[in-house]
Amino acid sequence: MAKQHKFTVTAARGMLPLLADELKQLGIKNTKQDQGNIRFTGTLADAYMVCLWSRVAIRVLLPIAHLHAETPEQLYEGVNALPWEEHIHELDSTIAVDFNSFRSKIKHSQYGAQRVKDAIVDRFRTLFGLRPSVDLYQPDVRINVYLKHNQATVSIDLSGDSLHKRGYRVSNTTAPLKEHLAAAILLSAEWQKLARQGWALIDPMCGSGTFLIEAAMIAADIAPGILRDYYGFTAWKQHDKDSWKQLKADAERRRQSGLARCPVIVGGDADARAIEAAKNNIAEAGLHDRIQVNQRDLTEWPKLAADLPKAGLFVCNPPYGERIGRADELHYLYESLGNIINESFSGWRTALITDNAQLGKFTGLTLFDSVPFDNGPIACDVLFYRAPRPVRFNELSSTPTQFVDEEFDDKEHAPVEMTEQGAMFANRLKKNKKHLAKWARKSDISCYRVYDADLPDYALAIDLYDEHIHVQEYAPPNKSILRKR
Ligand SMILES: C[S@@+](CC[C@H](N)C(=O)[O-])C[C@H]1O[C@@H](n2cnc3c(N)ncnc32)[C@H](O)[C@@H]1O
């Protein structure tokens, strides 16, 4: 019987239930859901299968050790004592280290990664007189260290790189959806089942084509990882080549027969550059004869409705207020969307992803369900509609100006350009505040901690005292430690 290992599969906020379903469909048992991940016991082939077939997973990790690491020295000693020669080939290997810390004494992730890398390299130097080199992008072996309450879990990252990178994205547009997010929205909309029943799919603002490609891959039973030429296990010393070869061959067979079952999938976008990007990506995915895309404005879709099936899924990622366009200009777009769906696609289901769920009201459609998902650093909601109801914009009690985000109108506090990490930090603050404010109001509390080093790179404590904010920075690692790097 093949050797059993314990694996950890990570996924983004809101996607764990979908991941649990996927693992079940893949025949993986013995799963245990934790915060931000699902653990399971299985064979290497099971882990490879998750890398190849999961549409929502981000990483598949194989934990190899648990260490107590309160100081950089303990971290170094613990990692240096591990048998890395069982994982990394002695000659010409490359490595990279990802390090994340949560509520631990070693807080600085780059510093932690550096000490882990040094510990591995020094072990190789002592044993073989040779050292692996560092390749941050596509290393032969990527090592993941997660330090929580000073306990480090050291893992081999079998995915090697985030699994959302399918390998078909050769061209980009402004604000593309991440592939795993597009897949998660489609799976939440039951697209797998609908496609089997022959339902069609439209994305009228397809941008670089992410929804269209993910939809075709789901409908045609194409493994999301089939195009990837890089994983974290192919150059790992314990790689099971035969299992991988077999899984890939099986996925190729399924792709061949699945393509014949692909339903009608059509996209459009007002921007010619977006259509060019979508065509390039679709061609790279080998789906040019399964997906049609053309440059057209949203308002042109009613003319096409007569030639399309009577039932389908209308998916859409309209421009966001924060990234393209202004929130206060978007209500007209949502109103048009609602009118078009109402009048020309009344038998269809709809899924819209938005960073401002209020805008959904302008569609005039009856909300069936909404699910929170993050699009990178932007907290979003996916709005699902089932039975359109003929409600007109002027019937709504709210006027458009009520939906204007005050921040956008206020010149003094106009949004500043932020890095992705900065935006993540801002979003985390907003979310914590929203969540805690409710509890504080109910409990009649006016002073509370809204943030406590939740993100490792922002090691701050932020307390609210009525109208006042008190910010304290945690001490950085001490200088003598930093000099040893
Ligand atoms: C957020 S982007 C979509 C990104 C896409 N989901 C992807 O993964 O690349 C929004 C798209 O809507 C398109 N758009 C905006 N207004 C439109 C309109 N009236 N008709 C058609 N497309 C429109 C933009 O050109 C842009 O490509």
Side-chain angles (χ1 to χ4, degrees), residues 232-245:
F233 50 78
T234 48
W236 171 52
K237 211 168 173 182
Q238 297 178 28
H239 177 37
D240 177 355
K241 284 195 187 109
D242 291 342
S243 293
W244 181 232
K245 210 169 141 194

Side-chain angles (χ1 to χ4, degrees), residues 76 79-80 82 84 88 93-97 113-134 143:
Y76 177 94
V79 173
N80 184 260
L82 298 175
W84 290 104
I88 302 166
S93 276
T94 56
I95 59 166
V97 179
Q114 181 83 23
R115 293 311 287 150
V116 171
K117 188 267 294 171
D118 289 347
I120 299 170
V121 164
D122 290 351
R123 182 176 176 98
F124 271 80
R125 249 201 224 113
T126 311
L127 288 178
F128 310 107
L130 294 162
R131 51 155 290 176
S133 46
V134 171
I143 295 114

